[in-house]
Amino acid sequence: MTIKVRFAPSPTGYLHVGNARTAIITWLFARKSGGHLLLRIDDTDIERSKAEYETAIEDSLIWMGLQWDEKANQKNRLERYAEQIEKLKNDGKLYPCFETAEELSLKRKSLLSRGQPPIYDRSALELTDRKKEDYIAEGLKPHWRFKLDHEPIKWNDLIRGETKFHGKDQSDPVVIREDGSPLYHLCSVIDDIDFNITHVIRGEDHVSNTATHVQMFEALGAKPPKFAHMSLISDNEGGKLSKRLGSLSIKDLRDDDGLEPMAITSLLARIGTSDPIDAFKEIEPLIESFDFSKFSRSTPKFDPNELLRLNSKIIHKTEFEDINVRLAQMGLQDLDEEFWLAVRSNLERLKDIKEWWKVAKSPIEPVIEDPAFIAEAAALLPDTPWNENTWNEWTSAIKNKTGRKGKQLFMPLRQAITGMSHGPELAGLLLLIGSEKVKKRLSGTKY
Ligand code: GLU
């Protein structure tokens, strides 16, 4: 059997961390199993779906290295849906309903106030043909529901294990809107059948949908695929991620936060699994270790600081040849390997390098709190040309002369030379800044 999976975003917003996780997991499973990945754009909601979001979602996927093998848009498949809908109507699987949204909401509230689950009461099934004709003559347009069989529904979920529902505990799902357009449930099932999807991987928020989908597969004469429902990630306080950390789209993590795609992938591939979260530069080990049996059913917490920690670790082990093109794109085409190696271990994000480039190459205001000490130090600067031992020779000489050591010795030098109180190792930085600038700065000149 060839494994085939799909990632099915709705283009009604940017790719969010939660959905990106589904994309990564689906992709990893496809690659691990030698399978095929369909990118399915769920764009039947023409009002909320936007081409711009579709493009942005694809950009985010590509940026994260998650290529798909095939793509389909639901909006191009309406004829096919109509065909299958006709078949289901003829088989008596769909029934027309005329309640308004307000009526339905009242019914729901009244059930809830009596402590009962808000399950649709199927009163539309009681309508006589005459009554339905009258409604239509009055200009009412029906929406259609899928008639669930009131029997047990179960499947062996790849993450949740045996999962059981009962048809009578579910509302018959609305599958066609008043305007005749088909809704997500049916389109999704028809697509999963037509595209030969073998495994449906998605968030736990879809579990009860799956219960109804199982019957739709059967009504359409197909065997349901296998299902894997991941528990949803929450923020650190356990709140729903999307509400509290609203800005967490992949686009923002890239454009605003300047994160590396592999930092995001490293976290999202492993969060909620029994494998340790670590910074991966390449995706291969993540494919290698992937297994649904490692997924936990509890809610994993997403910590943005963890992303930053992984990001730093990835940057710290990135080789110059893997980053020089991006540095050039950032306007740092003159930045060479020596500079990269001297500062990379001080970067949390790649964009931080601009600051160090500025410290080394542009005029900065030296910070000198103890001019007498700095003057003494300046007088002890070794002769040029400088080399990798210069820093040690210089600071040993200052130490001998002044008796200062540790922070008392290094901090004033750092502040005078870089204008900052933190930063990369001065031994390397001294050479990158160069003797001319160092001397001027030690004299208190902005240079
Ligand atoms: N468009 C749906 C969503 O984003 C797809 C769910 C599914 O995987 O079937 O929630």
Side-chain angles (χ1 to χ4, degrees):
M1 179 184 69
T2 311
I3 292 201
K4 190 164 175 192
V5 290
R6 85 297 196 281
F7 173 58
S10 307
T12 53
Y14 295 114
L15 186 67
H16 189 269
V17 162
N19 254 346
R21 175 174 176 236
T22 306
I24 290 169
I25 299 308
T26 308
W27 188 93
L28 288 173
F29 175 67
R31 293 296 165 259
K32 174 89 189 245
S33 53
H36 193 90
L37 172 63
L38 167 72
L39 172 63
R40 189 184 84 196
I41 305 293
D42 285 3
D43 51 4
T44 54
D45 184 341
I46 43 175
E47 244 144 60
R48 294 177 57 225
S49 301
K50 300 246 173 345
E52 128 197 24
Y53 290 132
E54 181 176 336
T55 312
I57 290 170
E58 290 183 13
D59 282 352
S60 295
L61 292 173
I62 292 168
W63 179 68
M64 289 196 297
L66 308 176
Q67 263 300 350
W68 52 94
D69 304 298
E70 186 184 356
K71 183 188 160 187
N73 285 68
Q74 290 196 324
K75 69 170 185 230
N76 299 334
R77 293 184 31 84
L78 298 177
E79 273 176 31
R80 173 61 179 160
Y81 303 143
E83 212 174 279
Q84 294 292 66
I85 283 167
E86 219 28 57
K87 178 170 160 354
L88 291 173
K89 282 184 182 169
N90 290 338
D91 293 348
K93 284 291 180 187
L94 304 185
Y95 62 96
C97 306
F98 293 86
E99 294 96 339
T100 61
E102 292 76 44
E103 281 166 338
L104 289 173
S105 147
L106 276 179
K107 280 189 189 191
R108 259 195 308 272
K109 281 190 189 135
S110 135
L111 285 168
L112 286 169
S113 70
R114 281 180 279 138
Q116 291 175 10
I119 298 170
Y120 175 60
D121 62 9
R122 291 188 153 180
S123 47
L125 279 180
E126 311 296 321
L127 296 174
T128 59
D129 286 348
R130 178 71 197 274
K131 191 73 196 157
K132 288 187 241 177
E133 281 157 23
D134 287 351
Y135 278 147
I136 290 176
E138 282 169 34
L140 288 186
K141 297 219 159 56
H143 56 272
W144 293 73
R145 289 187 189 259
F146 178 83
K147 188 163 172 262
L148 292 170
D149 290 329
H150 284 181
E151 58 184 36
I153 305 169
K154 54 179 186 185
W155 70 90
N156 198 0
D157 198 283
L158 292 168
I159 295 174
R160 300 164 55 86
E162 184 162 60
T163 306
K164 290 184 189 161
F165 282 83
H166 199 288
K168 71 172 164 36
D169 300 329
Q170 305 285 319
S171 287
D172 289 337
V174 176
V175 291
I176 305 172
R177 298 186 185 87
E178 276 80 3
D179 65 4
S181 60
L183 278 155
Y184 158 71
H185 298 288
L186 206 46
C187 303
S188 177
V189 170
I190 295 170
D191 287 344
D192 287 340
I193 297 172
D194 287 356
F195 288 94
N196 300 313
I197 299 302
T198 57
H199 293 71
V200 167
I201 302 159
R202 57 190 171 197
E204 209 173 50
D205 48 340
H206 283 286
V207 171
S208 67
N209 287 339
T210 297
T212 68
H213 294 184
V214 164
Q215 289 201 0
M216 293 182 202
F217 278 100
E218 283 159 0
L220 288 163
K223 194 168 154 278
K226 289 200 171 11
F227 295 100
H229 292 91
M230 291 178 285
S231 55
L232 303 180
I233 38 186
S234 75
D235 64 15
N236 261 343
E237 280 83 46
K240 207 180 151 207
L241 193 66
S242 54
K243 293 233 173 82
R244 299 186 56 95
L245 298 166
S247 68
L248 272 181
S249 71
I250 300 301
K251 184 177 180 297
D252 286 348
L253 292 176
R254 179 188 68 186
D255 298 345
D256 299 349
D257 295 336
L259 295 183
E260 300 303 303
M262 278 311 295
I264 302 173
T265 303
S266 295
L267 181 58
L268 294 181
R270 290 265 174 104
I271 193 171
T273 75
S274 54
D275 278 331
I277 291 174
D278 204 353
F280 289 92
K281 260 174 68 191
E282 317 286 345
I283 208 157
E284 280 68 26
L286 293 168
I287 302 176
E288 203 47 49
S289 62
F290 181 84
D291 199 321
F292 279 123
S293 68
K294 296 177 176 172
F295 280 72
S296 141
R297 288 194 55 183
S298 57
T299 307
K301 288 199 168 65
F302 178 87
D303 178 1
N305 293 325
E306 177 130 48
L307 260 186
L308 205 52
R309 185 180 66 77
L310 294 169
N311 201 71
S312 323
K313 280 177 87 175
I314 288 172
I315 298 261
H316 300 174
K317 52 186 177 184
T318 297
E319 299 305 334
F320 181 67
E321 64 195 37
D322 296 326
I323 205 81
N324 57 356
V325 173
R326 280 173 61 201
L327 291 169
Q329 284 163 354
M330 289 163 70
L332 302 175
Q333 48 284 338
D334 297 335
L335 197 156
D336 59 9
E337 182 162 16
E338 191 193 355
F339 192 93
W340 173 251
L341 295 178
V343 302
R344 70 173 175 185
S345 58
N346 266 77
L347 308 175
E348 271 192 315
R349 305 168 160 93
L350 183 62
K351 64 182 178 185
D352 301 344
I353 198 167
K354 285 190 169 167
E355 191 180 8
W356 298 114
W357 185 248
K358 223 166 88 192
V359 165
K361 305 294 170 195
S362 308
I364 58 113
E365 197 76 64
V367 173
I368 298 178
E369 281 163 6
D370 184 346
F373 171 68
I374 293 297
E376 260 187 308
L380 293 167
L381 268 177
D383 293 336
T384 50
W386 288 352
N387 59 37
E388 56 278 10
N389 298 321
T390 301
W391 171 254
N392 276 344
E393 287 167 18
W394 185 36
T395 50
S396 302
I398 305 173
K399 193 170 154 190
N400 287 338
K401 180 89 189 289
T402 66
R404 288 203 194 205
K405 53 184 195 253
K407 204 175 164 196
Q408 302 296 322
L409 168 64
F410 300 120
M411 186 56 85
L413 297 178
R414 178 179 289 285
Q415 288 176 332
I417 295 170
T418 69
M420 313 251 256
S421 308
H422 65 99
E425 295 268 349
L426 278 166
L429 211 50
L430 196 72
L431 303 181
L432 298 171
I433 295 173
S435 61
E436 189 190 351
K437 277 198 160 49
V438 169
K439 283 177 187 158
K440 290 267 197 215
R441 290 177 185 178
L442 288 173
S443 74
T445 313
K446 177 174 177 183
Y447 195 77

